[in-house]
Amino acid sequence: MKDRNDSAEPGKAAADKAVGGAKGPDELRRQIQETRGQLGDTVEELAAKADVKGRARARGAELKGKASEAGHAVQGKAAQAGHVVQDKATEAGHVVQGKAVEAGHMVQDKAVQAGHVVQDKATKAGHAVQDNVPRPVRTAVTNAVQAGKRHPRPVLIAGAGAVVAVGLLRRRHNGHH
């Protein structure tokens, strides 16, 4: 059961008391003052409910705040994802760089091995030529080389002439007159 003073509407409780009667003019003034206060509160509540623009602004501000928070959260996550991607790219770059260095060393090793093979073959060919050339020719070539070292200009001129002569002989031999 509800008491008469526990009404759902604040203004109605004051009216119920007044109907019940006041015990004097002071009590009546007090009840009127109380009823005016409750009525003012009720009017303010109704005005707030009727202020659609104000409520819309408040809701808009609330939603704007939530959107801003969400935007900051997304921005933070995007920045974090960007850092993760950057770290992964850096790591992948280091892996590729390491593999490139390793491949470069392998190529260098193969080139050195090939150089040694060519050098060995050239040395063997030089020894074979040296062993098969008659002694007087070897002596003449050695003397010519030593003379060339002492007087390089005449040897270069003679060598150039020999190259031209061989070129001409080859052309004639191949049928180009």
Side-chain angles (χ1 to χ4, degrees):
M1 274 205 257
K2 278 191 172 181
D3 188 18
R4 288 174 65 166
N5 295 337
D6 290 344
S7 175
E9 298 176 43
K12 190 168 192 241
D16 288 347
K17 278 185 178 178
V19 171
K23 294 183 182 170
D26 291 333
E27 177 72 20
L28 186 58
R29 282 188 195 100
R30 189 191 59 74
Q31 286 178 357
I32 291 172
Q33 207 52 13
E34 190 177 312
T35 303
R36 282 184 184 155
Q38 290 172 349
L39 189 57
D41 292 344
T42 304
V43 168
E44 284 181 22
E45 288 175 19
L46 289 174
K49 286 183 181 181
D51 184 14
V52 176
K53 282 186 180 179
R55 287 190 358 218
R57 272 191 228 117
R59 181 70 174 146
E62 179 185 335
L63 292 176
K64 184 178 177 183
K66 286 182 180 180
S68 178
E69 288 175 14
H72 289 303
V74 168
Q75 188 178 20
K77 287 181 181 181
Q80 184 179 6
H83 290 303
V84 168
V85 168
Q86 184 179 13
D87 291 346
K88 295 279 185 189
T90 300
E91 184 179 322
H94 288 143
V95 168
V96 169
Q97 184 180 17
K99 289 186 180 200
V101 167
E102 186 178 317
H105 288 150
M106 287 175 54
V107 168
Q108 184 180 14
D109 290 345
K110 296 284 185 187
V112 167
Q113 289 174 357
H116 288 307
V117 168
V118 169
Q119 186 179 13
D120 289 345
K121 287 184 179 184
T123 300
K124 286 179 184 174
H127 288 144
V129 168
Q130 187 177 7
D131 292 344
N132 292 327
V133 172
R135 188 173 219 43
V137 173
R138 270 191 282 171
T139 304
V141 169
T142 302
N143 290 339
V145 168
Q146 288 174 351
K149 285 180 180 178
R150 286 190 302 265
H151 306 289
R153 188 172 277 159
V155 172
L156 287 173
I157 292 171
V163 168
V164 170
V166 167
L168 290 174
L169 289 174
R170 280 189 140 176
R171 282 184 74 173
R172 282 191 181 178
H173 179 64
N174 289 336
H176 297 93
H177 298 295

